[in-house]
Amino acid sequence: MEVNLDLHCDLTAYLLQPNSSPNGDVRCSVDKLFAGNVKMQVMAFYSATEKGSVDEVKEQLKHYRSLLNLPGVYEFSPDKAELKDGLGIIAAVENASGLCEEDQPVEDAFKNLDWLISQAKIMYVGLTHHLENRFGGGNFTQAGLKDDGKRLIEFLDGRKIAIDLSHTSDQLAYGILNFIDQHHLDIPVLASHSNMRAVFDHNRNLPDELVTEIVNRGGLIGLNFVKYFINPENPSKIYRHIEHAVKLGAEDHLCFGADFFDDKSHPEQDRYPFFFPEFGDSTAYSTINSRISELFSDEMKEKISHRNALSYFKRLHKI
């Protein structure tokens, strides 16, 4: 049976809406995850940099915990890196504003992250989203790493929780990497849902230098299915992103990070739909896997669909 692992979806953020349900009208619903043979899905807790951000993450944790009560859903254990029958889920924090609001003591971020870790398995933390916050600059800015960002990075040292570079400015990404190196910190890095900037020039995509850095540090790069990061006119360009990443040495570091979210409620409705029909929801992996086998090899398909992500956990936890 086909096996797929995915590093990023926004199901828990969708579940904050009134009258929503895990099998509601969202691209990453639980029934679609099962239909797409997704055996491990990262549930990203997203909140904007605004008042109430911490409470939103706490509410998403409640929904995450409720998902574990559904038939066939279990919590994936990264320190075992074993897939069971059913759907394994693991949490992440997309935007550290969900750990600490702008006017709160930065120590609150540490307390809240410790509490989250006590309640759920956490795979990664992103310092920012699109905009700037107290930790650093998002991908629509040119701000770099700030003092509170440095303190949060130090707090992650040795915890085997990765820092996600998908929503950083280039300046922040390099600031994070330099800070890790200068202080000899034990922190993995990844890009949970980003494509290659050399193939499609968008600041949400990774420049070659960051691709190489992630590869050299044993991280992962999750291929993003949003058409505005592939090429708005041509869905087949996703395979060019794969080809380019492989040329940069990322064959053993690519995986899926589809970024499925509720684009029907997105404020920029002139851009709807955000996904090509053939990549429209969590049942799309089979189509993509078949094409990867045709263009590259069956081995490449296996690596991208699940083997690379499992190997990441095994490296991280020395299994």
Side-chain angles (χ1 to χ4, degrees), residues 8 10 44-47 92-96 124 126 128-129 167 193 259:
H8 193 96
D10 290 291
F45 300 164
Y46 166 73
S47 60
V93 177
E94 184 182 24
N95 189 9
Y124 59 79
T128 58
H129 196 244
H167 276 290
H193 54 306
D259 195 13

Side-chain angles (χ1 to χ4, degrees), residues 3-12 28 33 37-46 64 76 78 83 87-95 121-126 162-167 188-196 204 206 214 218-225 250 252-261 282 285 303-316:
V3 175
N4 298 303
L5 279 62
D6 187 282
L7 296 194
H8 193 96
C9 82
D10 290 291
L11 178 59
T12 57
C28 50
L33 290 168
N37 295 310
V38 179
K39 299 301 182 183
M40 191 280 281
Q41 175 67 63
V42 179
M43 301 290 173
F45 300 164
Y46 166 73
Y64 173 87
F76 176 79
L83 299 174
L87 169 64
I89 63 173
I90 185 172
V93 177
E94 184 182 24
N95 189 9
K121 307 286 188 183
I122 305 293
M123 183 179 177
Y124 59 79
V125 172
I163 291 182
D164 185 13
L165 304 181
S166 278
H167 276 290
V189 296
L190 52 78
S192 66
H193 54 306
S194 293
N195 295 332
M196 314 306 138
R204 272 284 285 106
L206 299 170
I214 292 170
L220 291 172
I221 299 170
L223 295 163
N224 193 313
F225 294 2
D252 296 327
H253 303 270
L254 290 174
C255 58
F256 293 135
D259 195 13
F260 289 128
F261 63 96
S282 295
Y285 301 100
K303 287 182 176 183
I304 293 175
S305 67
H306 66 281
R307 280 171 44 191
N308 287 344
L310 289 176
S311 294
Y312 165 84
F313 290 117
K314 290 175 181 178
R315 287 194 301 273
L316 184 61

Side-chain angles (χ1 to χ4, degrees), residues 15-275:
L15 292 173
L16 294 178
Q17 298 182 29
N19 304 314
S20 60
S21 77
N23 287 325
D25 186 17
V26 63
R27 297 177 185 275
C28 50
S29 62
V30 170
D31 56 344
K32 290 186 176 72
L33 290 168
F34 274 109
N37 295 310
V38 179
K39 299 301 182 183
M40 191 280 281
Q41 175 67 63
V42 179
M43 301 290 173
F45 300 164
Y46 166 73
S47 60
T49 303
E50 60 189 18
K51 206 68 179 171
S53 57
V54 173
D55 289 338
E56 281 199 0
V57 165
K58 291 179 178 179
E59 286 299 310
Q60 288 179 68
L61 174 67
K62 292 179 183 178
H63 289 294
Y64 173 87
R65 299 298 306 174
S66 70
L67 292 174
L68 294 171
N69 295 321
L70 297 176
V73 180
Y74 69 95
E75 189 165 43
F76 176 79
S77 296
D79 57 336
K80 295 179 181 177
E82 294 178 349
L83 299 174
K84 304 176 184 179
D85 290 338
L87 169 64
I89 63 173
I90 185 172
V93 177
E94 184 182 24
N95 189 9
S97 294
L99 301 174
C100 184
E101 295 182 13
E102 295 291 283
D103 59 353
Q104 294 176 328
V106 70
E107 289 80 10
D108 285 3
F110 312 149
K111 294 175 186 176
N112 286 326
L113 182 54
D114 262 343
W115 180 76
L116 281 177
I117 293 169
S118 75
Q119 300 296 310
K121 307 286 188 183
I122 305 293
M123 183 179 177
Y124 59 79
V125 172
L127 268 61
T128 58
H129 196 244
H130 289 313
L131 304 178
E132 183 176 345
N133 64 16
R134 66 188 298 164
F135 303 103
N139 53 265
F140 288 160
T141 78
Q142 294 184 339
L145 180 63
K146 299 182 181 180
D147 287 343
D148 284 349
K150 294 175 182 178
R151 294 190 63 185
L152 182 54
I153 292 171
E154 289 175 325
F155 187 76
L156 290 171
D157 183 34
R159 292 175 179 265
K160 300 188 185 304
I161 295 174
I163 291 182
D164 185 13
L165 304 181
S166 278
H167 276 290
T168 62
S169 66
D170 290 352
Q171 292 85 345
L172 175 56
Y174 292 121
I176 290 169
L177 298 176
N178 289 335
F179 189 80
I180 288 172
D181 292 347
Q182 290 167 2
H183 295 271
H184 308 289
L185 303 178
D186 178 18
I187 304 175
V189 296
L190 52 78
S192 66
H193 54 306
S194 293
N195 295 332
M196 314 306 138
R197 196 177 298 176
V199 176
F200 187 73
D201 189 10
H202 193 290
N203 54 8
R204 272 284 285 106
N205 290 336
L206 299 170
D208 286 358
E209 295 84 357
L210 284 181
V211 174
T212 301
E213 285 286 351
I214 292 170
V215 168
N216 290 342
R217 294 164 190 262
L220 291 172
I221 299 170
L223 295 163
N224 193 313
F225 294 2
V226 174
K227 67 183 180 183
Y228 299 107
F229 310 141
I230 296 172
N231 179 301
E233 308 299 327
N234 188 347
S236 69
K237 291 294 183 181
I238 195 170
Y239 306 108
R240 282 282 295 115
H241 288 279
I242 294 173
E243 180 183 36
H244 186 76
V246 169
K247 288 180 180 178
L248 295 175
E251 177 176 344
D252 296 327
H253 303 270
L254 290 174
C255 58
F256 293 135
D259 195 13
F260 289 128
F261 63 96
D262 178 28
D263 54 341
K264 290 183 179 179
S265 67
H266 195 280
E268 300 176 35
Q269 281 301 290
D270 58 320
R271 302 172 68 197
Y272 179 87
F274 281 66
F275 298 86

